[in-house]
Amino acid sequence: MDFLNTIFTFPTVVFTTLLLIVIGFWLIALLGFADIDMLEGDVEIEADGGGDSIMQMGFGGVPLTISISLVVLLSWIASFYAHQLFAYALGDGVMFYVLGGAMMLGCFVVSIPLTAMLVRPLRRFFDSKETASKNDFIGLECVIATSKVNPYFGQAKVQFQGTEQLIEVRSEEEGMFSLGDTGLLIEHDVAKNSYLIVEKPW
């Protein structure tokens, strides 16, 4: 009961809720209804917009869903033990939420470098698979999934080993492709994690 009371009391309850969402996601992924790389496109769009990518925190090399899951898990563990040790210092009323919020923020900040350390040894398990799949896409046809493709934006669907994957694509000329058009993948840009496409020569 003491354990349940802690995890479902502020501030730990915030991380408990996030952890339940993470567990739900991985259960769905295990059933095959979600892709662990589903957030990679969002990060790429953010990077194209000039914003700081979450990869700069040291999370690169593994799927973003794994990094986020580890951040939530470590934040929850840190919050649980901090809550147990310092619950007496949170006080009452407004101060309870002020100090609780500060504790929650501190746990989150601590979890980020710890996650970066944990994902480092995991990168070798994803690098070879990622490189192989990206190289295998070269020469395949793709179907444009966005209203336009230009040097800075575009997505397309490609059939690979019996599955349909959504990838980032770019075109050197604007207006060449629109929704539903077919293109040919000719080059992969590692820095932007996108493919250069051209019109099919046949």
Side-chain angles (χ1 to χ4, degrees):
M1 291 302 298
D2 185 51
F3 171 78
L4 293 176
N5 182 62
T6 301
I7 66 173
F8 288 112
T9 302
F10 183 84
T12 307
V13 66
V14 175
F15 293 121
T16 299
T17 303
L18 294 175
L19 185 61
L20 290 174
I21 294 174
V22 166
I23 292 173
F25 166 78
W26 285 107
L27 288 176
I28 294 173
L30 287 174
L31 294 174
F33 296 108
D35 187 352
I36 65 173
D37 294 324
M38 62 185 298
L39 298 181
E40 302 305 314
D42 295 335
V43 174
E44 180 61 28
I45 291 174
E46 180 185 354
D48 287 343
D52 291 333
S53 171
I54 195 170
M55 298 306 175
Q56 294 175 345
M57 299 179 184
F59 295 164
V62 300
L64 189 56
T65 49
I66 292 179
S67 298
I68 292 176
S69 299
L70 285 173
V71 168
V72 171
L73 177 61
L74 292 174
S75 297
W76 180 83
I77 293 174
S79 181
F80 173 79
Y81 284 105
H83 199 162
Q84 288 279 310
L85 294 173
F86 303 108
Y88 68 91
L90 295 180
D92 299 315
V94 176
M95 289 304 298
F96 173 80
Y97 292 99
V98 172
L99 295 177
M103 178 188 294
M104 181 176 65
L105 179 61
C107 293
F108 174 73
V109 171
V110 168
S111 72
I112 292 177
L114 291 177
T115 299
M117 292 174 58
L118 289 176
V119 301
R120 195 173 299 134
L122 297 177
R123 289 172 184 163
R124 66 177 183 271
F125 296 108
F126 295 94
D127 286 343
S128 59
K129 178 181 178 182
E130 184 179 4
T131 302
S133 64
K134 293 183 185 304
N135 290 336
D136 287 342
F137 285 172
I138 303 300
L140 297 181
E141 296 181 9
C142 64
V143 178
I144 308 304
T146 50
S147 59
K148 63 180 180 179
V149 178
N150 58 38
Y152 313 102
F153 173 80
Q155 290 185 327
K157 297 178 181 179
V158 59
Q159 296 289 336
F160 181 71
Q161 295 183 349
T163 63
E164 184 177 75
Q165 300 191 31
L166 185 66
I167 59 174
E168 295 290 323
V169 294
R170 303 291 184 263
S171 173
E172 293 181 344
E173 297 183 25
E174 190 157 359
M176 182 179 295
F177 298 96
S178 59
L179 181 65
D181 289 345
T182 303
L184 184 67
L185 303 171
I186 64 169
E187 182 181 335
H188 178 250
D189 189 328
V190 177
K192 294 184 178 180
N193 192 25
S194 63
Y195 292 87
L196 179 64
I197 62 172
V198 295
E199 291 183 321
K200 294 193 303 180
W202 54 82

